[in-house]
Amino acid sequence: MFSKVLIANRGEIAVRIMRSCEELGIATVAVYSELDRDAVHVKRADEAYLLGPGPAAESYLAVDKLIDAVQRSGAEAVHPGYGFLAENAAFAAALEKAEITFIGPPASAIDAMGSKTKARELMQKAGVPIVPGTTEPVEAIEHAQRVIADTIGYPVAVKAAGGGGGKGFRVALDESKLKDAFEGAAREGEKFFGDATVYLERYLPDPRHVEVQVLADTHGNVIHLGERDCSLQRRHQKLIEEAPAPAVDEALRAKIGKIATDAAAAVKYTGAGTIEGLLQDGEYFFLEMNTRVQVEHCVTEMVTGIDIVKEGIRVAAGEPLSISQDELELRGHAIECRINAEDASKNFAPAPGKIGDYREPAGPGVRVDSGVTSGSEISPMYDPMVAKLIVWDVDREQATARMLRALGEYEIEDLKTLIPFHTAILQTRQWHDAETCRDLIEDKAWLKELAFPKAEKPAADAEETAEPVEQSYTVEVSGKRFDVKVIGAPLAAGTLNGATPAPVEAAAATRRAPRRSDRAAAGGGRGGDTLSSPLQGTVLKVAVEKGTEVEEGALVAVIEAMKMENEITAHKAGVVSELPIAVGASVATGDTLAVISSAQ
Ligand code: MV4
């Protein structure tokens, strides 16, 4: 076994990996950017090395700096986590050359699965069912038209060969939409992966996203740990995951498990990996393989009792897997909610900021994987996911009740997170019936109900400096009279407790008593005609001009922040009278994006 491992990542996954290392008696090495000097993962590690400035290209993606840190620390192996360099075959090869162990699959397996067309061809040869379509790149639109007419038919999915996780994925419902889809997928492939190559798949109208966790060692053992359902997604970002999948019974589990282990064996996979697929009407199709530990690995850990990260480390050290397929047992049900710094009511706009008071839920069957604490700064530079809340219980219904209880316990002050969104969605009939909830996630009106109450005016730092006082009030709640005693900071002159509206709207929307964490931070205000930016980022697209007449909800601009594209829509109908933004410009939270005057 290794004696020291460097974790080439940040946030919750870096902490998660350190936990497994500690249990295995392995010393941990953190790396960090200048923005992460005070981050939880840095303090947690036995030692830590500064990589460079905040931008990932100068820190978490800087291969030379990472290898230098490995050599200075004397670590024998590197765990990449997910994101950053986790699926970079060149990084795995560079480590190999420097005689450092990469805790992950061989570079050849990363490479084989990295090209989606190559992966589809390999899987087809291995007898793994793929979504019907092409395994060769489709060079030109005329070529695509021919293949669609001859074999696939409409609707058709156009996907970037270098893509994955939905990047570079467009749908053409009929021939008239093919050109846009083809060009869109190619453009996105070029932008994100430097590869404009696209391929075609039959578009499945209402599949479930079902993926299988696999583990493989260097002794020829390849096993699967059952499946996860990750159908609840928004713009290809998973939001809630669960295991087992509601639509999978034991017979289907055995069938898709074999598909997954066949797929892994075909690329001589080792370590932890995931076969992603689509399930429709009991039929399973391979989509792609993620050659890394995934965000949602935790739900599988909860129902199998297996530490997936630990198994990956054991495999990299040359040890055999600690369990066999026959020994594996699934028990109960697990659900994971991603706690992102995002505002669901504003199109899931990133909501970076500094966390105030912070308190994680606990109690039976509750697990929190987080990388933050009180005072942590969520930077727009990195992923908006700050924590994962995972629960286990004996069945899906009880796990849902437990998740709602845990979400209610979670206190994250001064930061807008998806907690109200999760709380609302888990109480819907659609979730109860195990539907994919696609209708709700696209429902602008429903999401708007999740709006955070306006931030309260800070009472001139009174809370920090003043002694708490006791004050008595008489209040009426739904016409019933109560005498209440309030113990806390004295109120600023001229304001009574109710001077700012109480967060009843949010409470109604989330159907539970208002919690402290609901009273979140200031955000992009939308006062009168001014449409101000709810986030800090870069303007990617401006969809209107001065003088354009817009409907409420019409696209005004696209702003990139925390690696996500965010559509900013008109807050009211009217005419764009001012437009102080341009493509490429940086905007701060609260900056005016447009002024929309009411049409006469
Ligand atoms: C598809 C699809 C339908 N047909 N491919 C790709 C990446 C992943 N985020 C979802 N992806 C999809 N690929 C074909 N040929 C539909 C989706 C899809 C989806 C699938 C299951 C559950 C939820 C989904 C949400 C968006 C897109």
Short mmCIF file of all heavy atoms in Angstrom, two decimals, residues 131-132 156-157 159 164-167 169 171 200-210 229-238 276-280 287-288 436 438, ligand 1:
data_model
loop_
_atom_site.label_atom_id
_atom_site.label_comp_id
_atom_site.label_asym_id
_atom_site.label_seq_id
_atom_site.Cartn_x
_atom_site.Cartn_y
_atom_site.Cartn_z
N VAL A 131 -26.87 2.95 -28.42
CA VAL A 131 -28.03 3.62 -29.02
C VAL A 131 -27.86 3.54 -30.54
O VAL A 131 -26.78 3.89 -31.04
CB VAL A 131 -28.13 5.10 -28.58
CG1 VAL A 131 -29.43 5.72 -29.09
CG2 VAL A 131 -28.04 5.22 -27.06
N PRO A 132 -28.88 3.08 -31.28
CA PRO A 132 -28.73 2.97 -32.74
C PRO A 132 -28.28 4.29 -33.34
O PRO A 132 -28.74 5.36 -32.94
CB PRO A 132 -30.14 2.61 -33.22
CG PRO A 132 -30.79 1.96 -32.04
CD PRO A 132 -30.20 2.62 -30.82
N VAL A 156 -33.60 12.88 -34.27
CA VAL A 156 -32.22 12.40 -34.22
C VAL A 156 -31.41 13.25 -33.23
O VAL A 156 -31.67 14.44 -33.08
CB VAL A 156 -31.60 12.42 -35.64
CG1 VAL A 156 -31.32 13.84 -36.10
CG2 VAL A 156 -30.33 11.60 -35.72
N ALA A 157 -30.48 12.59 -32.53
CA ALA A 157 -29.56 13.30 -31.63
C ALA A 157 -28.24 13.49 -32.36
O ALA A 157 -27.70 12.54 -32.90
CB ALA A 157 -29.35 12.50 -30.35
N LYS A 159 -24.42 14.53 -31.70
CA LYS A 159 -23.53 14.66 -30.54
C LYS A 159 -22.09 14.85 -30.98
O LYS A 159 -21.65 14.30 -31.98
CB LYS A 159 -23.64 13.41 -29.65
CG LYS A 159 -25.04 13.17 -29.10
CD LYS A 159 -25.06 12.04 -28.07
CE LYS A 159 -26.45 11.87 -27.48
NZ LYS A 159 -26.50 10.88 -26.38
N GLY A 164 -19.49 14.49 -24.17
CA GLY A 164 -19.79 13.68 -23.00
C GLY A 164 -20.53 14.54 -22.01
O GLY A 164 -20.39 15.77 -22.02
N GLY A 165 -21.35 13.87 -21.21
CA GLY A 165 -22.11 14.60 -20.19
C GLY A 165 -23.03 15.65 -20.79
O GLY A 165 -23.40 16.60 -20.12
N GLY A 166 -23.40 15.49 -22.06
CA GLY A 166 -24.36 16.39 -22.66
C GLY A 166 -23.76 17.60 -23.35
O GLY A 166 -24.46 18.34 -24.03
N LYS A 167 -22.44 17.80 -23.20
CA LYS A 167 -21.79 18.92 -23.91
C LYS A 167 -21.76 18.58 -25.40
O LYS A 167 -21.34 17.50 -25.78
CB LYS A 167 -20.36 19.13 -23.39
CG LYS A 167 -20.32 19.87 -22.07
CD LYS A 167 -19.73 21.28 -22.24
CE LYS A 167 -20.13 22.22 -21.12
NZ LYS A 167 -19.45 21.92 -19.85
N PHE A 169 -24.47 18.38 -27.43
CA PHE A 169 -25.59 17.47 -27.71
C PHE A 169 -26.78 18.30 -28.19
O PHE A 169 -27.24 19.20 -27.50
CB PHE A 169 -25.91 16.69 -26.43
CG PHE A 169 -27.23 15.96 -26.43
CD1 PHE A 169 -27.81 15.48 -27.59
CD2 PHE A 169 -27.89 15.70 -25.23
CE1 PHE A 169 -29.02 14.80 -27.57
CE2 PHE A 169 -29.10 15.04 -25.19
CZ PHE A 169 -29.66 14.58 -26.37
N VAL A 171 -30.62 18.17 -30.55
CA VAL A 171 -31.68 17.30 -31.08
C VAL A 171 -32.30 17.97 -32.30
O VAL A 171 -32.57 19.17 -32.28
CB VAL A 171 -32.77 17.06 -30.01
CG1 VAL A 171 -33.84 16.12 -30.56
CG2 VAL A 171 -32.16 16.50 -28.74
N LEU A 200 -24.19 10.61 -34.98
CA LEU A 200 -25.65 10.63 -34.85
C LEU A 200 -26.15 9.45 -34.03
O LEU A 200 -25.60 8.36 -34.08
CB LEU A 200 -26.31 10.55 -36.24
CG LEU A 200 -25.92 11.62 -37.26
CD1 LEU A 200 -26.53 11.30 -38.61
CD2 LEU A 200 -26.36 13.00 -36.79
N GLU A 201 -27.22 9.70 -33.27
CA GLU A 201 -27.92 8.61 -32.57
C GLU A 201 -29.42 8.80 -32.75
O GLU A 201 -29.89 9.94 -32.89
CB GLU A 201 -27.65 8.70 -31.05
CG GLU A 201 -26.30 8.20 -30.61
CD GLU A 201 -26.11 8.35 -29.09
OE1 GLU A 201 -27.04 8.82 -28.40
OE2 GLU A 201 -25.03 7.98 -28.61
N ARG A 202 -30.15 7.71 -32.72
CA ARG A 202 -31.61 7.86 -32.65
C ARG A 202 -31.92 8.61 -31.35
O ARG A 202 -31.32 8.34 -30.32
CB ARG A 202 -32.27 6.48 -32.63
CG ARG A 202 -33.78 6.54 -32.43
CD ARG A 202 -34.41 5.17 -32.47
NE ARG A 202 -34.14 4.53 -33.77
CZ ARG A 202 -34.15 3.21 -33.95
NH1 ARG A 202 -34.42 2.41 -32.95
NH2 ARG A 202 -33.91 2.71 -35.14
N TYR A 203 -32.82 9.58 -31.41
CA TYR A 203 -33.20 10.31 -30.20
C TYR A 203 -34.30 9.54 -29.48
O TYR A 203 -35.37 9.31 -30.05
CB TYR A 203 -33.66 11.73 -30.54
CG TYR A 203 -34.10 12.49 -29.31
CD1 TYR A 203 -33.16 12.93 -28.39
CD2 TYR A 203 -35.44 12.73 -29.07
CE1 TYR A 203 -33.55 13.62 -27.25
CE2 TYR A 203 -35.84 13.41 -27.93
CZ TYR A 203 -34.89 13.84 -27.02
OH TYR A 203 -35.29 14.51 -25.90
N LEU A 204 -34.03 9.11 -28.26
CA LEU A 204 -35.04 8.40 -27.48
C LEU A 204 -35.89 9.44 -26.76
O LEU A 204 -35.35 10.31 -26.07
CB LEU A 204 -34.36 7.46 -26.47
CG LEU A 204 -33.34 6.48 -27.05
CD1 LEU A 204 -32.74 5.61 -25.95
CD2 LEU A 204 -33.95 5.60 -28.13
N PRO A 205 -37.21 9.40 -26.91
CA PRO A 205 -38.04 10.50 -26.42
C PRO A 205 -38.13 10.64 -24.90
O PRO A 205 -38.15 11.75 -24.39
CB PRO A 205 -39.42 10.21 -27.02
CG PRO A 205 -39.40 8.75 -27.38
CD PRO A 205 -37.98 8.41 -27.68
N ASP A 206 -38.17 9.54 -24.16
CA ASP A 206 -38.32 9.70 -22.71
C ASP A 206 -37.57 8.60 -21.95
O ASP A 206 -38.17 7.80 -21.25
CB ASP A 206 -39.81 9.69 -22.33
CG ASP A 206 -40.01 10.18 -20.91
OD1 ASP A 206 -39.16 10.94 -20.40
OD2 ASP A 206 -41.01 9.77 -20.28
N PRO A 207 -36.26 8.60 -22.10
CA PRO A 207 -35.49 7.55 -21.42
C PRO A 207 -35.20 7.92 -19.96
O PRO A 207 -35.44 9.05 -19.54
CB PRO A 207 -34.18 7.55 -22.21
CG PRO A 207 -33.99 8.98 -22.63
CD PRO A 207 -35.39 9.55 -22.80
N ARG A 208 -34.71 6.95 -19.21
CA ARG A 208 -34.16 7.25 -17.88
C ARG A 208 -32.64 7.13 -18.00
O ARG A 208 -32.13 6.32 -18.76
CB ARG A 208 -34.68 6.25 -16.84
CG ARG A 208 -36.18 6.28 -16.69
CD ARG A 208 -36.60 5.63 -15.39
NE ARG A 208 -36.20 6.44 -14.26
CZ ARG A 208 -37.03 7.23 -13.55
NH1 ARG A 208 -38.31 7.30 -13.87
NH2 ARG A 208 -36.60 7.93 -12.54
N HIS A 209 -31.96 7.99 -17.25
CA HIS A 209 -30.50 7.91 -17.20
C HIS A 209 -30.15 6.91 -16.10
O HIS A 209 -30.36 7.18 -14.92
CB HIS A 209 -29.91 9.29 -16.91
CG HIS A 209 -28.42 9.28 -16.76
ND1 HIS A 209 -27.59 10.05 -17.53
CD2 HIS A 209 -27.61 8.58 -15.93
CE1 HIS A 209 -26.33 9.82 -17.19
NE2 HIS A 209 -26.33 8.94 -16.20
N VAL A 210 -29.68 5.76 -16.50
CA VAL A 210 -29.31 4.72 -15.53
C VAL A 210 -27.85 4.35 -15.78
O VAL A 210 -27.45 4.08 -16.91
CB VAL A 210 -30.22 3.48 -15.66
CG1 VAL A 210 -29.73 2.35 -14.77
CG2 VAL A 210 -31.66 3.84 -15.30
N ASP A 229 -29.91 5.77 -10.59
CA ASP A 229 -30.77 6.52 -11.50
C ASP A 229 -30.43 7.99 -11.33
O ASP A 229 -30.49 8.52 -10.22
CB ASP A 229 -32.24 6.25 -11.18
CG ASP A 229 -33.16 6.85 -12.24
OD1 ASP A 229 -32.99 8.04 -12.58
OD2 ASP A 229 -34.05 6.13 -12.74
N CYS A 230 -30.06 8.64 -12.43
CA CYS A 230 -29.69 10.06 -12.39
C CYS A 230 -30.52 10.84 -13.39
O CYS A 230 -30.03 11.74 -14.08
CB CYS A 230 -28.21 10.24 -12.72
SG CYS A 230 -27.11 9.13 -11.85
N SER A 231 -31.79 10.50 -13.50
CA SER A 231 -32.63 11.13 -14.53
C SER A 231 -32.96 12.58 -14.21
O SER A 231 -33.32 13.33 -15.12
CB SER A 231 -33.93 10.33 -14.69
OG SER A 231 -33.63 9.02 -15.10
N LEU A 232 -32.90 12.95 -12.95
CA LEU A 232 -33.26 14.31 -12.59
C LEU A 232 -32.08 15.24 -12.86
O LEU A 232 -31.16 15.36 -12.06
CB LEU A 232 -33.69 14.37 -11.12
CG LEU A 232 -34.76 15.41 -10.85
CD1 LEU A 232 -35.76 14.92 -9.85
CD2 LEU A 232 -34.15 16.71 -10.41
N GLN A 233 -32.12 15.85 -14.06
CA GLN A 233 -31.01 16.69 -14.51
C GLN A 233 -31.56 18.01 -15.01
O GLN A 233 -32.70 18.11 -15.41
CB GLN A 233 -30.26 16.04 -15.67
CG GLN A 233 -29.91 14.60 -15.48
CD GLN A 233 -29.14 14.03 -16.65
OE1 GLN A 233 -28.92 14.68 -17.66
NE2 GLN A 233 -28.71 12.79 -16.50
N ARG A 234 -30.67 18.99 -15.03
CA ARG A 234 -31.01 20.29 -15.58
C ARG A 234 -29.84 20.72 -16.46
O ARG A 234 -28.73 20.84 -15.96
CB ARG A 234 -31.25 21.25 -14.41
CG ARG A 234 -31.13 22.69 -14.75
CD ARG A 234 -32.44 23.27 -15.13
NE ARG A 234 -32.17 24.55 -15.78
CZ ARG A 234 -33.07 25.31 -16.34
NH1 ARG A 234 -34.32 24.96 -16.33
NH2 ARG A 234 -32.73 26.43 -16.90
N ARG A 235 -30.09 20.93 -17.73
CA ARG A 235 -29.03 21.23 -18.70
C ARG A 235 -27.86 20.27 -18.53
O ARG A 235 -26.71 20.66 -18.44
CB ARG A 235 -28.56 22.68 -18.55
CG ARG A 235 -29.48 23.65 -19.30
CD ARG A 235 -28.87 25.03 -19.33
NE ARG A 235 -29.64 25.98 -18.59
CZ ARG A 235 -29.14 26.82 -17.70
NH1 ARG A 235 -27.86 26.83 -17.44
NH2 ARG A 235 -29.93 27.67 -17.08
N HIS A 236 -28.18 18.99 -18.43
CA HIS A 236 -27.20 17.90 -18.32
C HIS A 236 -26.38 17.95 -17.04
O HIS A 236 -25.40 17.23 -16.91
CB HIS A 236 -26.28 17.85 -19.55
CG HIS A 236 -27.04 17.76 -20.83
ND1 HIS A 236 -27.88 16.70 -21.11
CD2 HIS A 236 -27.16 18.60 -21.88
CE1 HIS A 236 -28.45 16.89 -22.29
NE2 HIS A 236 -28.04 18.04 -22.77
N GLN A 237 -26.81 18.79 -16.08
CA GLN A 237 -26.19 18.73 -14.75
C GLN A 237 -27.11 17.88 -13.88
O GLN A 237 -28.29 18.21 -13.74
CB GLN A 237 -26.08 20.12 -14.13
CG GLN A 237 -25.22 21.10 -14.91
CD GLN A 237 -23.75 20.79 -14.80
OE1 GLN A 237 -23.27 20.37 -13.75
NE2 GLN A 237 -23.02 20.96 -15.89
N LYS A 238 -26.56 16.81 -13.33
CA LYS A 238 -27.38 15.98 -12.45
C LYS A 238 -27.66 16.75 -11.16
O LYS A 238 -26.79 17.46 -10.65
CB LYS A 238 -26.64 14.68 -12.12
CG LYS A 238 -26.44 13.81 -13.36
CD LYS A 238 -25.43 12.70 -13.12
CE LYS A 238 -25.15 11.97 -14.42
NZ LYS A 238 -23.90 11.18 -14.35
N GLU A 276 -22.45 4.73 -18.30
CA GLU A 276 -23.68 5.50 -18.37
C GLU A 276 -24.53 4.98 -19.51
O GLU A 276 -24.01 4.65 -20.58
CB GLU A 276 -23.37 6.98 -18.62
CG GLU A 276 -22.73 7.67 -17.44
CD GLU A 276 -22.85 9.20 -17.54
OE1 GLU A 276 -23.10 9.71 -18.64
OE2 GLU A 276 -22.70 9.85 -16.49
N GLY A 277 -25.84 4.90 -19.28
CA GLY A 277 -26.70 4.39 -20.34
C GLY A 277 -28.10 4.95 -20.24
O GLY A 277 -28.45 5.67 -19.30
N LEU A 278 -28.88 4.67 -21.27
CA LEU A 278 -30.27 5.08 -21.29
C LEU A 278 -31.14 3.84 -21.19
O LEU A 278 -30.88 2.83 -21.84
CB LEU A 278 -30.59 5.83 -22.59
CG LEU A 278 -29.83 7.14 -22.83
CD1 LEU A 278 -30.23 7.75 -24.16
CD2 LEU A 278 -30.06 8.13 -21.69
N LEU A 279 -32.18 3.94 -20.37
CA LEU A 279 -33.11 2.84 -20.20
C LEU A 279 -34.46 3.29 -20.73
O LEU A 279 -35.00 4.31 -20.27
CB LEU A 279 -33.22 2.48 -18.72
CG LEU A 279 -34.15 1.33 -18.36
CD1 LEU A 279 -33.61 0.00 -18.89
CD2 LEU A 279 -34.32 1.24 -16.84
N GLN A 280 -34.96 2.58 -21.72
CA GLN A 280 -36.29 2.92 -22.22
C GLN A 280 -37.07 1.64 -22.49
O GLN A 280 -36.60 0.77 -23.21
CB GLN A 280 -36.21 3.80 -23.47
CG GLN A 280 -37.60 4.22 -23.93
CD GLN A 280 -37.59 5.49 -24.74
OE1 GLN A 280 -37.18 6.56 -24.30
NE2 GLN A 280 -38.04 5.37 -25.97
N LEU A 287 -24.27 4.62 -23.34
CA LEU A 287 -24.08 6.01 -23.79
C LEU A 287 -22.58 6.36 -23.82
O LEU A 287 -22.05 6.78 -24.81
CB LEU A 287 -24.74 6.98 -22.83
CG LEU A 287 -26.10 7.57 -23.11
CD1 LEU A 287 -26.38 8.67 -22.10
CD2 LEU A 287 -26.22 8.12 -24.52
N GLU A 288 -21.95 6.23 -22.66
CA GLU A 288 -20.53 6.54 -22.56
C GLU A 288 -19.99 5.96 -21.26
O GLU A 288 -20.76 5.58 -20.38
CB GLU A 288 -20.29 8.05 -22.60
CG GLU A 288 -20.97 8.82 -21.49
CD GLU A 288 -20.94 10.34 -21.73
OE1 GLU A 288 -21.56 10.81 -22.70
OE2 GLU A 288 -20.31 11.02 -20.93
N THR A 436 -39.40 11.22 -14.17
CA THR A 436 -38.11 11.89 -14.37
C THR A 436 -38.18 13.38 -13.99
O THR A 436 -37.15 14.04 -13.92
CB THR A 436 -37.63 11.77 -15.84
OG1 THR A 436 -38.65 12.30 -16.68
CG2 THR A 436 -37.34 10.33 -16.20
N ARG A 438 -38.98 15.88 -15.60
CA ARG A 438 -38.52 16.80 -16.64
C ARG A 438 -39.46 17.99 -16.77
O ARG A 438 -39.05 19.11 -16.97
CB ARG A 438 -38.42 16.07 -17.98
CG ARG A 438 -37.08 16.26 -18.65
CD ARG A 438 -36.82 15.21 -19.70
NE ARG A 438 -36.50 13.93 -19.11
CZ ARG A 438 -36.31 12.82 -19.80
NH1 ARG A 438 -36.45 12.81 -21.10
NH2 ARG A 438 -35.99 11.69 -19.18
C1 MV4 B 1 -29.82 11.15 -25.14
C2 MV4 B 1 -31.20 11.35 -24.91
C3 MV4 B 1 -32.06 10.85 -25.85
N1 MV4 B 1 -31.59 10.18 -26.94
N2 MV4 B 1 -29.40 10.48 -26.24
C4 MV4 B 1 -26.88 12.70 -22.76
C5 MV4 B 1 -26.10 13.18 -21.63
C6 MV4 B 1 -26.94 13.01 -20.42
N3 MV4 B 1 -26.78 14.15 -19.60
C7 MV4 B 1 -28.35 12.83 -20.93
N4 MV4 B 1 -28.26 12.62 -22.30
C8 MV4 B 1 -29.27 12.25 -23.13
N5 MV4 B 1 -28.90 11.59 -24.27
C9 MV4 B 1 -30.28 10.02 -27.12
N6 MV4 B 1 -29.84 9.36 -28.22
C10 MV4 B 1 -31.59 12.06 -23.77
C11 MV4 B 1 -30.64 12.51 -22.86
C12 MV4 B 1 -31.13 13.24 -21.71
C13 MV4 B 1 -31.69 12.58 -20.60
C14 MV4 B 1 -31.76 11.19 -20.52
C15 MV4 B 1 -32.31 10.57 -19.42
C16 MV4 B 1 -32.80 11.32 -18.36
C17 MV4 B 1 -32.73 12.69 -18.40
C18 MV4 B 1 -32.16 13.34 -19.51
C19 MV4 B 1 -32.09 14.74 -19.55
C20 MV4 B 1 -31.53 15.35 -20.63
C21 MV4 B 1 -31.07 14.60 -21.71
#
